[in-house]
Amino acid sequence: MRAGLFIAGIILLVAGIWVIAGNGSYKQTETLAQLGSAKIEATHTKAVPQWIGIAGIVVGGLLIVGGIASKKR
């Protein structure tokens, strides 16, 4: 369990830094008009909010500290 916490913490920490650096984005598609089976769609690329990156860094750091501080049983 100790290694699992440590690995999960590192993954969240790196992902949080990735988002804060401005590299995190996702695509959202919306239908503008539809007539029968014909559709007009628009796809927008949106940035992931920075608060998600900050939360990932904080939670990742806590998991790393928890993984280091936990005792073997």
Side-chain angles (χ1 to χ4, degrees), residues 42-66:
T43 302
H44 304 284
T45 302
K46 296 189 175 189
V48 176
Q50 285 193 345
W51 66 269
I52 293 177
I54 293 169
I57 291 171
V58 170
V59 172
L62 290 174
L63 287 177
I64 290 172
V65 170

Side-chain angles (χ1 to χ4, degrees), residues 9-67:
I10 289 175
I11 290 171
L12 280 174
L13 187 67
V14 170
I17 292 170
W18 182 262
V19 169
I20 292 294
N23 296 322
S25 64
Y26 63 96
K27 292 185 180 188
Q28 182 178 11
T29 303
E30 59 183 283
T31 302
L32 300 176
Q34 183 174 359
L35 182 61
S37 63
K39 289 183 187 179
I40 298 175
E41 295 181 338
T43 302
H44 304 284
T45 302
K46 296 189 175 189
V48 176
Q50 285 193 345
W51 66 269
I52 293 177
I54 293 169
I57 291 171
V58 170
V59 172
L62 290 174
L63 287 177
I64 290 172
V65 170

